[in-house]
Amino acid sequence: MEKFDSISDQIIEWANKSEQEKDGSTLMQVIKLVFEKAKDEAAFSEMYARLCRKMMERVSPNVQDETIRNSEGQPITGGMLFRKYLLNRCQEDFERGWNAKEAALAAAALKAGEDKVAEAASTENGEVVFSDEYYAAAKAKRQGLGLVRFIGELFKLQMLTERIMHECIKKLLSNVVSPEEEEIESLCKLLTTVGQSLDNPKAKNHMDIYFERMQEMAKSSNINSRMQFMLQDVIELRSRHWQARSAVPRPAPTHQDSSRDDSGRHGVSRGGSRRGEHRGANATEPDGWNVAGGADLEADWYPIRSVQCV
């Protein structure tokens, strides 16, 4: 984005108006707006993650929230406070998103049934007319997938911990027997985004279990062929050490380069690979990245503190 620096500077300047507040309300409002845009515009997830990283580094140290304190009883300020708000918002949106999605899908299904009975969902001037419930369900799905990708991009910029990623994956894999399509798509999107970074010797046992469950899901008759192929794509991606099938053998990409290779995966044919093959421990060393903001914020995901972004 050509004007990223100038626009992000203006956003940070606005967020720093919280210097005159005791509850960081302006900063929370900015985070809320960024999240809404990131969820709606998944193609720009990397850019919004960069914006959050820059805000964390540049927010004024005079911004504070008197209700949020560290283990020593001192108010958390500046970038550490921004990260605290960000983590809380991630969990709130991730968990609330599933409830909203399920409600929207249920309403859409009910409306579709009524339309079939009345044959009212036919046409208007030759064009198909969709109900408000249909658009609500489509929006919930779009935002859910956008949020998962955004969370992955935040992790790649060292703003979220590996533990947070594992909690998200476990939630998405909680229903193997009859998973929803949105759960499968979110799982595949998240693993495609962060799988290479997570798949290190320390987490090998966890990753092996995840992919065993994914293989079980891929063989299930309860999901359609599109979802089966989507799962199989990610399984094969891991078996190739997270390299695209068409990639020429080369040294393992840097952390930054791997984030730019994800988009080309879906254009590759499925021929010539060994389905369901697990690889051994990743030959590369763990990333070794440090969590931004300090060790006292390490356990912010579970349980979540009662900070509301309004």
Side-chain angles (χ1 to χ4, degrees):
M1 182 176 178
E2 296 180 359
K3 299 182 179 180
F4 175 81
D5 289 335
S6 60
I7 294 177
S8 59
D9 287 343
Q10 294 177 42
I11 294 174
I12 293 170
E13 181 180 357
W14 185 268
N16 281 337
K17 291 185 177 182
S18 280
E19 288 180 319
Q20 310 301 321
E21 304 164 348
K22 296 182 179 180
D23 58 358
S25 59
T26 300
L27 180 60
M28 283 193 288
Q29 185 66 23
V30 169
I31 292 175
K32 176 184 176 181
L33 294 174
V34 171
F35 255 81
E36 292 302 316
K37 294 291 289 183
K39 290 190 298 182
D40 264 333
E41 302 175 4
F44 299 100
S45 294
E46 183 180 1
M47 181 196 69
Y48 286 116
R50 285 173 51 209
L51 172 60
C52 288
R53 179 74 194 193
K54 183 175 180 179
M55 289 178 66
M56 185 184 71
E57 295 172 347
R58 299 273 298 277
V59 68
S60 171
N62 295 323
V63 175
Q64 63 176 311
D65 186 337
E66 294 183 348
T67 65
I68 301 181
R69 299 177 179 272
N70 59 24
S71 58
E72 299 176 353
Q74 299 298 319
I76 297 177
T77 63
M80 295 177 68
L81 178 63
F82 174 85
R83 184 174 179 272
K84 166 65 75 174
Y85 285 158
L86 185 68
L87 291 175
N88 287 345
R89 189 73 195 192
C90 281
Q91 185 180 7
E92 289 173 2
D93 279 41
F94 185 77
E95 295 184 346
R96 183 173 58 236
W98 290 109
N99 295 330
K101 173 187 71 65
E102 291 169 358
L105 290 174
L110 178 61
K111 180 64 175 177
E114 295 174 351
D115 288 345
K116 278 187 176 181
V117 173
E119 295 184 356
S122 53
T123 60
E124 181 177 298
N125 297 327
E127 296 182 358
V128 177
V129 178
F130 294 102
S131 66
D132 292 340
E133 289 80 3
Y134 171 86
Y135 288 111
K139 179 180 179 180
K141 177 180 178 179
R142 181 182 69 251
Q143 290 189 334
L145 292 173
L147 175 62
V148 166
R149 182 171 177 180
F150 180 53
I151 287 175
E153 294 295 343
L154 289 173
F155 166 73
K156 287 160 64 175
L157 290 180
Q158 305 176 11
M159 299 187 70
L160 301 180
T161 66
E162 288 191 22
R163 182 167 58 83
I164 293 175
M165 296 299 100
H166 286 295
E167 292 293 344
C168 291
I169 293 171
K170 289 175 185 176
K171 183 174 180 65
L172 295 172
L173 278 171
S174 60
N175 182 5
V176 179
V177 178
S178 56
E180 297 287 347
E181 287 190 11
E182 289 77 11
E183 293 174 337
I184 297 175
E185 288 190 62
S186 295
L187 173 68
C188 293
K189 178 67 69 176
L190 184 59
L191 284 172
T192 301
T193 304
V194 305
Q196 185 173 22
S197 298
L198 285 180
D199 203 0
N200 55 62
K202 180 180 177 181
K204 180 181 182 299
N205 290 338
H206 290 288
M207 295 295 288
D208 286 346
I209 293 174
Y210 300 156
F211 277 82
E212 286 174 5
R213 293 176 73 87
M214 289 172 64
Q215 286 181 322
E216 182 180 346
M217 291 168 63
K219 297 175 183 177
S220 173
S221 59
N222 293 328
I223 64 175
N224 60 41
S225 58
R226 175 174 170 266
M227 295 297 104
Q228 290 174 339
F229 280 126
M230 188 177 294
L231 287 165
Q232 196 63 49
D233 278 346
V234 182
I235 292 171
E236 292 177 359
L237 182 63
R238 189 196 186 208
S239 73
R240 295 191 304 272
H241 299 255
W242 303 98
Q243 301 301 305
R245 188 180 289 108
S246 61
V248 177
R250 54 188 173 83
T254 62
H255 190 68
Q256 182 177 1
D257 289 338
S258 66
S259 67
R260 299 176 182 174
D261 293 339
D262 293 339
S263 60
R265 179 178 63 83
H266 294 288
V268 181
S269 65
R270 291 190 174 84
S273 65
R274 293 172 292 179
R275 293 181 180 270
E277 176 180 329
H278 284 289
R279 68 177 180 84
N282 197 326
T284 58
E285 294 295 325
D287 289 340
W289 50 270
N290 296 319
V291 179
D296 57 321
L297 295 180
E298 177 69 16
D300 285 343
W301 187 263
Y302 289 99
I304 185 173
R305 297 189 182 181
S306 57
V307 177
Q308 299 295 326
C309 294
V310 295

